[in-house]
Structures are given as structure tokens and as C-alpha cells.
């Protein structure tokens, strides 16, 4: 890919992050070195350090880019009944996860040496946004403790399903969003029956 020789500082920083995310596609983030990134981006080592104080800073920022994409994917709700709105949001998540495949796997993989309190907080932000979106789409202003627990459990189901889908690819993409929404519907129905 041909890159312009001169970039704005914002564009150069974004290009270095994109290079890191590209490299995460072929190896674990903790195995990607500064030399790998500068070779991929076609820049010098001093230029790299002009934008990032350390490799770790770049790794965290790259993973933050993934979580920002996930939050953006959940930013808007489509019009229509709750199931349509939630399904569209899940489809948006799947799109972002597919785009940032390696970064998403690195972000959620347990034991990653580049996980930090900052990346953990970013993941929590995505989870909280997902719960808020579902409550908004269902018109629930004051959820019960069991409903909140159900929604938080469902976000864990989504994360696990997306990780498995990325790594194994055994479920067709066009079936994934409907299946995940069906899971949510079943979980909420169980909760509703319990609360009667």
C-alpha cells in the first residue's frame, strides 16, 4: 500500500496505529515489535518515538481504537420494534469485530500481557453501552436487578460468541446476529417468568 510521504501529525499517528492493528492479524500483539511497525508503516524509528513514548503506549492505543469502534458501532439505534433495533446494533458490533479481528481477539484474550486497567475500563465502557442500548430499545427506564444481571450475562455471551466466531468461523455470519438476539429474547423471557 502506497502512503504519502508527508502526513499531518494526526494522520501519521493513525497510520502507525493502523499498522500495528494490521500486524496483530498475523501474530499476538505482544510479539509485534517497534521494528515490525516501522517497517510496515515505512517510517524511521525516531519518527515512531515522536508519536509514541513506547511500544506499550502504541499497543494500548491500538486496542483503544478497537473499543472506540465498538462503542461507535453501538452509538445509534435504528427505528422500529425492539428486536429490529437490537439486531441492527448486534450487526454493527459484528462489523466492527470483523474489521478489527486481531485487535478484538487481543483485547479479550485472557492473560494478554498488554492488558491494562485502561483497556479493561474501555471494555467495561463497551459492555455498559450495550446494556444501556438494550434498555433504551426495550423502553425500560428502571430495570430490576435481575434484568440488569440478565443483560450483563448476555453481553458476556456476545463476547464469547464473537471470539469463537472469529477463531473458528463455524457459524455463518448472516446467522450470527439473529441467533444472538434470540438468546437475549430467551434470557429475558426466563427473567420475566422468574419475576412474576
Amino acid at each position: 500500500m502506497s502512503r504519502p510521504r508527508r502526513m499531518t501529525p494526526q494522520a501519521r499517528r493513525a497510520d502507525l496505529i493502523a499498522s500495528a492493528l494490521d500486524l496483530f492479524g498475523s501474530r499476538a500483539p505482544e510479539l509485534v515489535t517497534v521494528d515490525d511497525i516501522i517497517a510496515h508503516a515505512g517510517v524511521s524509528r525516531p519518527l515512531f518515538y515522536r508519536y509514541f513514548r513506547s511500544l506499550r503506549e502504541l499497543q494500548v492505543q491500538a486496542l483503544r481504537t478497537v473499543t472506540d469502534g465498538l462503542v461507535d458501532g453501538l452509538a445509534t439505534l435504528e427505528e422500529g420494534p425492539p428486536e429490529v433495533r437490537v439486531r441492527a446494533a448486534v450487526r454493527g458490533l459484528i462489523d466492527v469485530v470483523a474489521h478489527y479481528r486481531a485487535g478484538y481477539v487481543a483485547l479479550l484474550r485472557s492473560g494478554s500481557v498488554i492488558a491494562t486497567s485502561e483497556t479493561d475500563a474501555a471494555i467495561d465502557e463497551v459492555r455498559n453501552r450495550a446494556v444501556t442500548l438494550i434498555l433504551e430499545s426495550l423502553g425500560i427506564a428502571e430495570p430490576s436487578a435481575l434484568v440488569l444481571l440478565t443483560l450483563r450475562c448476555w453481553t458476556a455471551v456476545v463476547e464469547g460468541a464473537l471470539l469463537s466466531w472469529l477463531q473458528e468461523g463455524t457459524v455463518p455470519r448472516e446467522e450470527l446476529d439473529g441467533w444472538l438476539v434470540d438468546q437475549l429474547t430467551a434470557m429475558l423471557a426466563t427473567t420475566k417468568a422468574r419475576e412474576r
Side-chain angles (χ1 to χ4, degrees), residues 73-74 95 147 179:
L74 292 168
D95 289 344
V147 167
W179 178 78

Side-chain angles (χ1 to χ4, degrees), residues 16 125 196:
L16 287 166
E125 182 182 346
R196 285 182 183 154

Side-chain angles (χ1 to χ4, degrees), residues 74 77-78 80-93 130 133-138 154 177 180-182 184-185 188:
L74 292 168
L77 285 171
E78 286 192 4
E83 184 178 328
V84 169
R85 299 168 86 193
V86 173
R87 188 169 180 157
V90 172
R91 199 175 304 119
L93 273 182
L133 180 145
I134 296 162
L135 292 172
E136 289 172 5
S137 71
L138 296 176
W154 181 74
D177 60 334
L180 286 168
V181 173
D182 288 347
L184 175 61
T185 302
L188 285 171

Side-chain angles (χ1 to χ4, degrees), residues 54-77:
S54 66
L55 176 59
R56 183 146 185 100
E57 181 185 350
L58 173 61
Q59 290 168 331
V60 169
Q61 188 55 54
L63 297 183
R64 182 69 212 209
T65 298
V66 177
T67 57
D68 287 348
L70 293 169
V71 170
D72 289 347
L74 292 168
T76 57
L77 285 171

